[in-house]
């Protein structure tokens, strides 16, 4: 089948590469000529495990192509996927200008029936606006479908190729039949497609992310309480996770959630609810807890060292989570801001996000991006672990201790066993654990 995907960012590129991998002819449209040229060379602008291989293989096979020509894109595909950004507006709502701009382009250039699919995370009612924008430009028949993505950064290719559900929000049978055919290669083991109304599909995406964010913030509050009353949040996590009604997913406390989805989607859903006269008070607390949690590591370090002026802190992990280079809303950024504001210097390392960090901190002389985890320890007083990369899970602790002026580790991801680190002579400051 022939598909066009508007937007070659995180969602659009993964979607295009995965659809091409199962034999579809995919054309990705992006306004950034530099990015398009890069992609045509087989170079991915994002770090995502497995994506580089898909990109190169399907480019070579001719199933995946890139252009800046919107008219060419509209002519190419029966399916017109909208996967452009929806950044937060000043009031927290999702900014739909890019989505509606694509819709207008589709309307201006369409010559025969098309299925317009909103893949971007958009507020309830966006499909109606997309439909109006296309209809204002053409009398050619078309369908509008909501098909939200559920891709975890760091596991997006796997999530797309083996989805746990495919949500299709549509109002006409023709569009549903076509989407079922498109997604058939991903349904071979058992049926994962769920058809619902367009508005229900739009809300499902926000509801899913809000629920997961709520679990994280709740566990972070419990972890802080556990510290104060002498409990161990790891034991509590196992105790409650064994209840099948709760389960173990997203019960790991830490330094706060970040990334391109949870913070933005929580704000957008709050805005939608407020506009509807049904404010979601729980989500307000989720956001407040998360904002506060990002300062916990900095407070622990300041409490242990006293004045941070002239001190140097090594930071392992800059991406908001492992297996991505995404630093949007990352806990590391809050920690580094807290440390440098108090007069400390930072030596940081991340296996994938170094290039992004160098752009973010290029004008900050107090932040140095190191080439390795051990290089980040040079001259450091203490170590803070912020991202749960595999290479941080079992380091050479003797070498780490030898490098640090004060053998103290502040662990924002609870990667280590408190008893083991104590036996090695470390002071250990995890999140919510007995030490």
């Amino acid at each position: 089948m022939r598909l066009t995907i508007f937007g070659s960012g995180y969602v659009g590129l993964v979607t295009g590469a995965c659809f091409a991998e199962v034999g579809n002819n995919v054309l990705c449209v992006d306004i950034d000529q530099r990015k398009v040229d890069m992609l045509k060379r087989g170079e991915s602008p994002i770090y995502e495990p497995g994506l580089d291989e898909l990109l190169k293989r399907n480019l070579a096979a001719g199933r995946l192509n890139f252009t800046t020509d919107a008219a060419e894109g509209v002519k190419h595909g029966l399916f017109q996927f909208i996967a452009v950004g929806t950044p937060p507006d000043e009031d927290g709502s999702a900014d739909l200008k890019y989505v509606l701009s694509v819709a207008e382009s589709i309307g201006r250039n369409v010559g025969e029936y098309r299925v317009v699919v909103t893949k971007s995370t958009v507020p309830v009612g966006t499909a109606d606006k997309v439909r109006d924008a296309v209809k204002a430009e053409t009398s050619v028949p078309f369908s509008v479908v909501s098909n939200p993505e559920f891709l975890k950064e760091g596991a997006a290719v796997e999530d797309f190729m083996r989805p746990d559900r495919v949500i299709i929000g549509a109002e006409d049978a023709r569009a549903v039949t076509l989407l079922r055919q498109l997604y058939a290669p991903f349904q071979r083991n058992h049926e994962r497609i769920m058809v619902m109304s367009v508005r229900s599909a739009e809300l499902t995406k926000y509801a899913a992310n809000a629920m997961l964010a709520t679990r994280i913030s709740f566990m972070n509050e419990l972890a802080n309480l556990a510290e104060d009353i002498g409990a161990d949040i790891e034991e509590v996590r196992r105790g409650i996770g064994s209840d099948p009604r709760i389960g173990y997913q997203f019960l790991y406390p830490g330094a706060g959630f970040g990334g391109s989805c949870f913070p933005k989607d929580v704000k957008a859903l709050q805005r939608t609810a407020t506009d509807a006269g049904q404010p979601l008070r729980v989500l307000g607390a989720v956001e407040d807890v998360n904002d506060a949690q990002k300062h916990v590591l900095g407070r622990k370090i300041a409490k242990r060292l006293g004045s941070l002026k002239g001190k140097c802190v090594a930071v392992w992990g800059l991406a908001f989570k492992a297996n991505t280079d995404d630093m949007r809303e990352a806990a590391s950024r809050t920690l580094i801001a807290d440390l440098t504001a108090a007069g400390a210097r930072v030596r940081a390392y991340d296996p994938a996000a170094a290039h992004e960090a160098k752009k973010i901190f290029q004008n900050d002389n107090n932040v140095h991006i190191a080439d390795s985890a051990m290089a980040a320890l040079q001259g450091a007083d203490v170590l803070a672990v912020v991202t749960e990369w595999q290479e941080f899970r079992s380091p050479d602790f003797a070498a780490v201790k030898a490098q640090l002026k004060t053998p103290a580790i502040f662990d924002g991801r609870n990667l280590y066993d408190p008893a083991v680190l104590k036996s090695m002579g470390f002071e250990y400051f995890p999140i919510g654990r007995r030490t």
Side-chain angles (χ1 to χ4, degrees):
M1 303 182 85
R2 297 173 70 87
L3 291 76
T4 297
I5 299 180
F6 285 89
S8 55
Y10 183 82
V11 173
L13 187 54
V14 171
T15 299
C18 289
F19 273 133
E21 179 70 5
V22 296
N24 295 292
N25 189 320
V26 179
L27 179 62
C28 294
V29 182
D30 199 284
I31 61 173
D32 187 338
Q33 183 66 59
R34 184 173 169 224
K35 182 190 287 186
V36 167
D37 292 340
M38 181 180 180
L39 288 164
K40 284 182 174 180
R41 295 192 300 268
E43 301 170 8
S44 174
I46 60 175
Y47 176 87
E48 180 62 38
L51 183 58
D52 284 349
E53 294 85 348
L54 290 186
L55 177 60
K56 291 180 173 67
R57 182 162 58 246
N58 288 286
L59 275 171
R63 293 189 297 265
L64 180 61
N65 292 284
F66 300 89
T67 185
T68 57
D69 189 339
E72 179 186 0
V74 177
K75 182 179 179 181
H76 174 84
L78 167 62
F79 299 94
Q80 302 280 307
F81 280 83
I82 302 177
V84 295
T86 53
D89 219 333
E90 290 183 4
D91 62 359
S93 61
D95 188 343
L96 298 177
K97 63 184 176 185
Y98 303 115
V99 170
L100 298 180
S101 176
V102 171
E104 291 166 2
S105 292
I106 293 171
R108 283 194 299 269
N109 294 289
V110 70
E112 56 185 313
Y113 176 77
R114 292 289 183 259
V115 182
V116 181
V117 185
T118 55
K119 199 70 175 171
S120 304
T121 300
V122 293
V124 175
T126 297
D128 295 336
K129 296 178 180 179
V130 168
R131 184 179 295 106
D132 291 344
V134 177
K135 194 172 183 179
E137 302 288 342
T138 185
S139 59
V140 174
F142 64 93
S143 299
V144 175
V145 176
S146 175
N147 175 220
E149 54 85 15
F150 296 94
L151 306 177
K152 299 186 296 292
E153 291 191 47
V157 171
E158 177 71 14
D159 285 346
F160 198 100
M161 300 302 286
R162 295 176 178 81
D164 49 23
R165 79 280 209 198
V166 175
I167 302 292
I168 296 175
E171 310 297 342
D172 65 89
R174 183 181 184 183
V176 172
T177 298
L178 289 170
L179 263 295
R180 284 188 180 278
Q181 292 173 6
L182 179 62
Y183 276 103
F186 310 99
Q187 312 294 311
R188 296 189 68 183
N189 291 335
H190 59 83
E191 178 70 21
R192 293 176 172 84
I193 290 177
M194 302 177 68
V195 179
M196 59 184 69
S197 70
V198 172
R199 289 191 168 223
S200 293
E202 291 171 333
L203 181 56
T204 296
K205 168 64 179 185
Y206 278 116
N209 281 355
M211 176 65 76
L212 297 176
T214 299
R215 285 172 69 103
I216 293 171
S217 280
F218 180 63
M219 285 304 293
N220 282 336
E221 282 214 299
L222 283 183
N224 296 335
L225 174 62
E227 280 191 23
D228 288 342
I229 63 177
D232 189 321
I233 196 61
E234 178 62 16
E235 295 171 348
V236 174
R237 182 188 70 81
R238 292 199 301 268
I240 64 175
S242 62
D243 186 329
R245 297 170 300 175
I246 298 173
Y248 292 102
Q249 293 288 335
F250 285 81
L251 288 189
Y252 294 90
F257 61 77
S260 62
C261 294
F262 285 7
K264 175 174 70 71
D265 292 354
V266 166
K267 286 184 173 67
L269 183 54
Q270 284 179 282
R271 187 69 212 181
T272 296
T274 299
D275 289 346
Q278 293 287 343
L280 300 176
R281 289 166 291 179
V282 170
L283 283 193
V286 168
E287 189 174 24
D288 291 343
V289 169
N290 191 57
D291 289 343
Q293 194 69 16
K294 291 181 179 180
H295 296 279
V296 166
L297 277 185
R299 286 202 303 272
K300 288 175 180 281
I301 294 170
K303 182 177 179 180
R304 170 59 184 83
L305 294 181
S307 173
L308 290 176
K309 195 160 188 173
K311 300 293 186 181
C312 179
V313 178
V315 173
W316 282 1
L318 295 167
F320 86 94
K321 62 179 286 189
N323 297 318
T324 181
D325 59 354
D326 194 344
M327 287 185 61
R328 286 174 286 184
E329 303 276 352
S332 64
R333 298 180 68 166
T334 301
L335 172 62
I336 290 172
D338 288 348
L339 294 174
T340 55
R345 292 178 296 109
V346 171
R347 292 180 60 84
Y349 167 71
D350 189 281
H355 66 288
E356 188 66 24
K358 287 176 181 178
K359 288 189 291 186
I360 292 170
F361 299 112
Q362 61 183 328
N363 296 319
D364 192 337
N365 294 327
N366 292 312
V367 181
H368 172 76
I369 308 302
D371 294 328
S372 69
M374 294 308 295
L377 300 176
Q378 294 175 8
D381 289 275
V382 297
L383 167 64
V385 181
V386 188
T387 312
E388 66 279 20
W389 285 97
Q390 284 293 108
E391 71 173 87
F392 301 154
R393 292 182 180 273
S394 186
D396 183 341
F397 285 112
V400 171
K401 185 178 179 183
Q403 289 275 12
L404 296 176
K405 296 177 183 177
T406 302
I409 297 177
F410 298 82
D411 185 358
R413 297 299 171 187
N414 289 353
L415 298 186
Y416 310 127
D417 186 322
V420 170
L421 286 196
K422 183 178 180 180
S423 71
M424 292 181 176
F426 283 97
E427 294 180 64
Y428 184 50
F429 301 88
I431 305 293
R433 301 212 59 189
R434 293 177 63 190
T435 57

